[in-house]
Amino acid sequence: MESFSDIYLNLSKKPGVTRFSDSGLGWKPPGGDNAATFTLDQTQFIQAQWSRAARGYEVKVLSRQNGITQLDGFKIDDYDRLAKLFKVWYAIGLENREHALRGWNWGKAEFGKAELTFNVSNRPAFEVPYTEISNTNLAGKNEVAIDFSMPGEGNDTGTNGALAGARSNGRKTGGAKDQLVEMRFYIPGVASKAEKSKEDGED
Amino acid sequence: SLNGTEEKRFKRFESYKRDNQLPASVANLGIVVDKKSLTVILPIMGRPVPFHIHTIKNASHTPENDFTSLRINFLSPGQGVGRKDDQPFEDPNAHFIRSLTFRSQDIDRIDNVTKDIQELKKDVVRRETEKKQLED
């Protein structure tokens, strides 16, 4: 068992404790509420990434059932311990993903397994899980608009307030103080009608 | 050669080189205007994403009852409606982020953020005009 404190789960308001063992990972909110523990079985793990995030460093786990799980607040020195435990217990690498910091708004939008990545100079600038997208449409010539799922109430976590306000899929943008509601891209060569997709943002 | 007829050229710019240069205030998952680095940092799915002031066209916010919507428009090709579209781009065939809209209940802070972005943009444009006048 390896334990890390001051870790935020899925943009939770408060930090909790996350623990890793050979069976998977768990996250406990502050205040010792043992009933409300988030767990993810290691058989679900597909991929794990290490990046700089808002609170500190982030471990992002892509899993079969839960899609993207974000754990933010690790220290840079935690990397070696985490990379080792992912290798030994889960037989997967903790991929170090350095994000673009150039401040450019041009690059390449790429569609991965679970998320849309915007790459700047071959480095990801940000990712958007598909679960967070409520609608896309062709807003104009060469212009694609993406709308994000917004809880009716900005403070609604989608988890009945449990897990210290950690967000469920489809509610993640609500975890920020300033909540992203729409993103528009200029895509050269987009002429035909964009596919209108409505994804199920509810759990 | 320095003459007025020379075509406008794209000048490279960079917000940060390393992640330890990001201001500590990005931890609040709110919008941060880093004047020193000429950069606006926007929270996108828990990640602080820098946008250099040179990529920003304008910013405005529209207050509703208990929240406000801030829209940031970025420079991208094909926007020169009604005037000459002579904005140079490093790669006009790339994908561009054209706008980002944020909702916030913190209306006063967003009002300040909007003003800070507008002023930073104005300062940069003014400084470039002055520089160009010196070169001419």
Side-chain angles (χ1 to χ4, degrees):
Chain A
M1 182 90 85
E2 293 273 8
S3 185
F4 301 83
S5 54
D6 289 325
I7 304 298
Y8 294 80
L9 168 71
N10 289 333
L11 314 184
S12 59
K13 296 255 185 251
K14 289 176 181 160
V17 175
T18 194
R19 292 197 177 98
F20 296 88
S21 73
D22 57 357
S23 65
L25 70 88
W27 182 88
K28 210 175 275 189
D33 185 359
N34 288 342
T37 301
F38 172 89
T39 56
L40 197 59
D41 196 281
Q42 71 117 323
T43 57
Q44 296 291 324
F45 294 3
I46 300 171
Q47 211 179 6
Q49 292 168 355
W50 170 265
S51 308
R52 176 69 159 85
R55 268 77 176 246
Y57 284 81
E58 173 197 73
V59 171
K60 186 160 84 176
V61 178
L62 171 63
S63 65
R64 287 176 179 83
Q65 290 284 313
N66 285 52
I68 303 283
T69 298
Q70 291 170 274
L71 293 160
D72 185 7
F74 292 98
K75 315 244 177 332
I76 193 162
D77 298 336
D78 293 335
Y79 176 78
D80 289 344
R81 228 172 114 198
L82 284 157
K84 195 180 167 194
L85 73 85
F86 269 88
K87 192 170 172 236
V88 172
W89 282 334
Y90 318 133
I92 56 173
L94 182 60
E95 185 199 339
N96 187 355
R97 263 164 74 98
E98 266 190 63
H99 282 69
L101 297 167
R102 290 172 187 268
W104 297 357
N105 70 320
W106 65 95
K108 195 164 191 282
E110 284 181 307
F111 296 89
K113 270 194 205 108
E115 54 191 5
L116 160 67
T117 302
F118 189 72
N119 290 300
V120 169
S121 282
N122 299 316
R123 275 189 187 175
F126 60 83
E127 299 90 353
V128 172
Y130 299 138
T131 51
E132 310 309 309
I133 297 173
S134 66
N135 198 22
T136 65
N137 65 80
L138 191 64
K141 191 169 176 272
N142 298 329
E143 189 166 311
V144 175
I146 294 177
D147 296 323
F148 294 96
S149 316
M150 230 330 135
E153 279 282 310
N155 291 322
D156 177 19
T157 61
T159 54
N160 299 323
L163 293 173
R167 305 281 148 163
S168 64
N169 285 338
R171 298 286 204 297
K172 283 189 176 150
T173 190
K177 198 176 218 174
D178 301 327
Q179 305 163 350
L180 182 63
V181 289
E182 194 209 56
M183 182 180 281
R184 286 185 183 224
F185 287 101
Y186 166 84
I187 311 278
V190 176
S192 60
K193 213 174 173 190
E195 192 186 283
K196 206 166 178 160
S197 74
K198 177 103 184 156
E199 286 197 26
D200 187 7
E202 307 298 311
D203 276 25
Chain B
S1 64
L2 292 166
N3 62 57
T5 59
E6 200 178 352
E7 185 185 338
K8 263 200 199 176
R9 254 192 267 138
F10 176 82
K11 284 199 205 87
R12 278 212 166 194
F13 50 83
E14 192 166 18
S15 289
Y16 305 104
K17 289 202 188 298
R18 287 176 304 279
D19 58 41
N20 61 12
Q21 296 173 304
L22 289 166
S25 51
V26 299
N28 299 329
L29 293 174
I31 296 167
V32 175
V33 182
D34 182 1
K35 294 179 188 173
K36 194 168 49 89
S37 301
L38 305 179
T39 294
V40 180
I41 305 161
L42 302 174
I44 302 180
M45 299 297 154
R47 199 171 306 287
V49 185
F51 290 93
H52 197 280
I53 194 70
H54 284 166
T55 66
I56 295 175
K57 194 179 170 192
N58 53 44
S60 61
H61 81 107
T62 315
E64 305 274 337
N65 289 332
D66 52 358
F67 67 91
T68 190
S69 290
L70 168 67
R71 181 169 170 139
I72 300 173
N73 290 312
F74 297 88
L75 291 165
S76 65
Q79 288 174 315
V81 186
R83 62 178 175 87
K84 213 167 97 199
D85 189 9
D86 63 352
Q87 171 72 36
F89 292 101
E90 191 194 51
D91 179 8
N93 296 315
H95 300 159
F96 283 74
I97 294 163
R98 187 166 256 183
S99 75
L100 293 172
T101 305
F102 287 84
R103 189 176 84 160
S104 181
Q105 292 180 313
D106 209 342
I107 301 178
D108 289 345
R109 189 174 48 81
I110 292 299
D111 194 54
N112 286 330
V113 161
T114 309
K115 283 175 183 155
D116 283 350
I117 297 173
Q118 289 167 346
E119 267 167 42
L120 194 56
K121 183 76 197 169
K122 227 187 279 173
D123 283 354
V124 167
V125 170
R126 185 176 47 78
R127 258 184 275 163
E128 279 186 354
T129 310
E130 283 172 3
K131 206 178 147 206
K132 205 172 174 295
Q133 281 167 347
L134 285 174
E135 284 171 355
D136 284 345

